[in-house]
Each structure stands twice: as structure tokens, then as C-alpha cells.
Amino acid sequence: MSLNRGKFTLEKARAYLEHEPAMQVEALSDRLFTVTDGHCRSIFVSGLKSVVAFDTFGTPGRARAYRNAIETRLPGKPISAIIYSHDHLDHTGFAADLAPKAEIIADELCAKVVKARGAEGQTVPTRILRGQRNEITIDDISLVLLNPGPTHGSGNLAAYFEKERVLFSSDTILGNAKYGFMPDYHFRNFVPTMRSFLELDWDIFIPGRFGLTNRDGFIRGCDFIEATMTECQRAFANFVPIWLYEPMKGFVGGALSERFGDLEGFDGHIGQMAIRIVHHYLMGGWGLEDTPSGGVLLADEIKV
Ligand SMILES: [Zn+2]
């Protein structure tokens, strides 16, 4: 098939890859917009002549729907740049279908993983950012892009909008308990790195999926993950069979239900969260990136 396929090999995956969902766009200021397909969420920024889009929505169909949503809201302004929040295909997989001529900006580690992965339709970044803070200007759009440490995926870039008092950080903290499946979260560093964003002055937090939250919701999200990590360690001390779903759900969910049971999705997701996080302690983490210096991953192997 001619459709970009990411890592799919099955012809029947075409139905998933081609689907174009309805997109909802919400203006946060005269230049900043947030957009969702009902599951993933991202942002785009309007400039004088063009648009900077964050992420791609992860299939060719969703990338086209994203492009159409931007064109409808900001007619006549092409997408001049796409910023990858991290390497995962469900967020940055199909830039070739969103805006094939756009500049692609990414953190160095994200760029290395994307290059090494070679997924069909995931465009290799053309501008590489290094370090914890980058201030760049595209068109007349000034952006502050932050990577204070390993959180989720490879080379996670957050965007801080001081004027709007908004922080965007994809696939990190949610205002609910609907993650569950948490591969490639770097738990050693995750909560301390996310809490470091509280040093900045913002009121609205935009996660990479579902709804927006505020500062209190963000703090509670950090507390929730931290508490789950604590209970997963207690599971060892109580000789819970940590490789089994039901016992882990019962132990961790039971311990946290009073404090966090009101979070949307708690009952359905706490078991999976516990299974994932308990293996952080069993195995030690997500390879090299779960160390304080995740950048050593691929340091001398891939040049970007
Ligand atoms: Zn991700």
C-alpha cells in the first residue's frame, strides 16, 4: 500500500491509519490554540505568515485531520514548522502527511531515536535542540522549549507560554487516572522533573491527551504517581505476587482508593499502572534513559 505505515506491516491496519477523526480546536489566546481528536491533544501557534504545529497526531488520517483543522482556523497560513514533543509515533509519527515541507524541530535524543527507528512517514528532524532550555523564533513566533530531564519517551520537549500562563508537556501529567499503560516513563526522574515546572508561572497545563488541567490538578497528578510508586514498593514488602494483575490491582488500588479513587479512570487503570511501575523497582528502569543523564543513550552511535 502507498499509505505511510509507521511500523505497521498488516494490510488491515489501513483502516486505522486512514481514519480521519473530527478535531476540536479551542483558542487559548489570539495566537495559541489547543486541539484534540478526543484522545490525543496538542497545540499550534499562529504567526504573521505561518503556523507552528506541535506534534502530528500519529496516523496519516489524523495528521490530515489536524492539518485541515489548522487550515480551517487559520486560512492561508501554511505550517512552517513542526515541533516534536517526543519520539513516539502516536504523537509525532506522520509529519510527512501533516506538512511535508515544514521544518522539523526536536530535542537531540528524540532526533536520534527517530533516525535510528526509520519508521515510514516519521520525518527526521531538521533542526536539533540541545540542553534544558531553548528560546527560538519562527516567523514572528517566540517559543520557550524546555527539557529539564527525562520524563516520558525520548527527548521530551515542553513548551512554556509566559504571556498566556500555559505549559504544554506531552504524555506526562494528566488531570485524571487514565494512563494505565506506561512504557517508556522514566520513573526515577519523572516526578522530580515534572515538579520542577512548578517553578514557572503558569495556570493552565496542557497534557498530550484528554482535557486541560490547572496547577492544582497538575500537583495532584504528581502526588498520584508518587503515591502509586510508594505502594508498588510496599507490594514487595508485603510479598504480593507482583507479576499478577489482580493482586497488584487489589493491593495498590485498595491502598489509594480513599485518596485518589475520585480521579476519572482510577478503577480501570490503577492495576495496569501498578504492574508497570512495580517493574521499575524490579528491573531498575527503562534502560539508559532512566538514569539522570539520559542523553548518553546513542551518544556516539547516531549523529544528528
Ligand atoms: Zn508518548
Side-chain angles (χ1 to χ4, degrees):
M1 61 186 179
S2 59
L3 190 74
N4 282 318
R5 293 171 298 179
K7 285 295 182 186
F8 286 96
T9 57
L10 190 69
E11 180 66 23
K12 283 189 180 299
R14 174 186 284 267
Y16 166 74
L17 293 169
E18 286 190 341
H19 175 63
E20 294 187 24
M23 307 293 280
Q24 293 176 311
V25 175
E26 180 186 346
L28 298 172
S29 73
D30 56 355
R31 62 163 189 160
L32 179 62
F33 300 84
T34 181
V35 52
T36 182
D37 62 358
H39 189 73
C40 284
R41 175 174 289 282
S42 195
I43 57 171
F44 57 91
V45 191
S46 173
L48 203 58
K49 297 178 188 158
S50 68
V51 177
V52 173
F54 284 70
D55 291 351
T56 66
F57 279 87
T59 65
R62 285 176 170 76
R64 286 195 298 269
Y66 184 23
R67 186 182 66 214
N68 291 339
I70 292 174
E71 283 175 358
T72 300
R73 183 55 71 115
L74 302 168
K77 290 186 181 178
I79 298 170
S80 57
I82 300 170
I83 298 177
Y84 285 178
S85 67
H86 61 297
D87 65 293
H88 290 163
L89 290 178
D90 58 336
H91 292 268
T92 57
F94 294 88
D97 298 274
L98 174 61
K101 294 178 182 164
E103 179 181 27
I104 307 284
I105 299 167
D107 177 85
E108 179 181 18
L109 187 55
C110 171
K112 288 181 176 181
V113 171
V114 169
K115 184 177 179 182
R117 174 185 291 143
E120 192 175 284
Q122 189 174 34
T123 310
V124 173
T126 52
R127 196 197 307 193
I128 311 301
L129 303 182
R130 295 177 170 83
Q132 295 192 341
R133 182 184 176 102
N134 283 271
E135 296 182 23
I136 64 173
T137 301
I138 302 161
D139 194 354
D140 64 330
I141 302 166
S142 297
L143 296 168
V144 177
L145 301 171
L146 305 169
N147 178 6
T151 54
H152 165 92
S154 295
N156 198 311
L157 275 183
Y160 175 46
F161 299 89
E162 188 175 10
K163 191 179 78 164
E164 286 87 356
R165 302 171 68 85
V166 165
L167 181 71
F168 167 71
S169 179
S170 183
D171 276 3
T172 55
I173 296 294
L174 294 181
N176 57 46
K178 290 165 71 175
Y179 266 134
F181 190 58
M182 303 175 100
D184 210 353
Y185 274 68
H186 313 298
F187 286 106
R188 172 184 168 144
N189 305 289
F190 183 83
V191 173
T193 304
M194 293 311 298
R195 285 199 199 282
S196 74
F197 286 127
L198 290 166
E199 294 166 13
L200 301 170
D201 196 15
W202 52 265
D203 300 319
I204 298 171
F205 181 73
I206 306 178
R209 54 191 74 218
F210 306 123
L212 312 186
T213 190
N214 57 21
R215 221 171 159 86
D216 288 343
F218 177 91
I219 291 168
R220 192 155 188 243
C222 291
D223 291 346
F224 173 51
I225 289 179
E226 205 163 53
T228 307
M229 293 172 73
T230 298
E231 294 307 325
C232 284
Q233 294 178 70
R234 288 187 60 235
F236 287 97
N238 285 272
F239 294 93
V240 177
I242 58 143
W243 56 93
L244 292 177
Y245 178 84
E246 290 295 342
M248 280 301 290
K249 180 182 177 184
F251 182 84
V252 176
L256 297 180
S257 63
E258 192 176 321
R259 190 173 167 204
F260 295 106
D262 64 306
L263 286 174
E264 185 188 356
F266 178 87
D267 287 338
H269 294 81
I270 191 64
Q272 286 195 83
M273 280 184 72
I275 287 283
R276 165 62 186 96
I277 292 176
V278 85
H279 283 79
H280 169 76
Y281 296 100
L282 182 74
M283 301 187 303
W286 192 266
L288 277 176
E289 208 190 333
D290 220 347
T291 66
S293 307
V296 298
L297 184 68
L298 304 174
D300 301 316
E301 307 300 324
I302 309 283
K303 300 293 179 201
V304 291

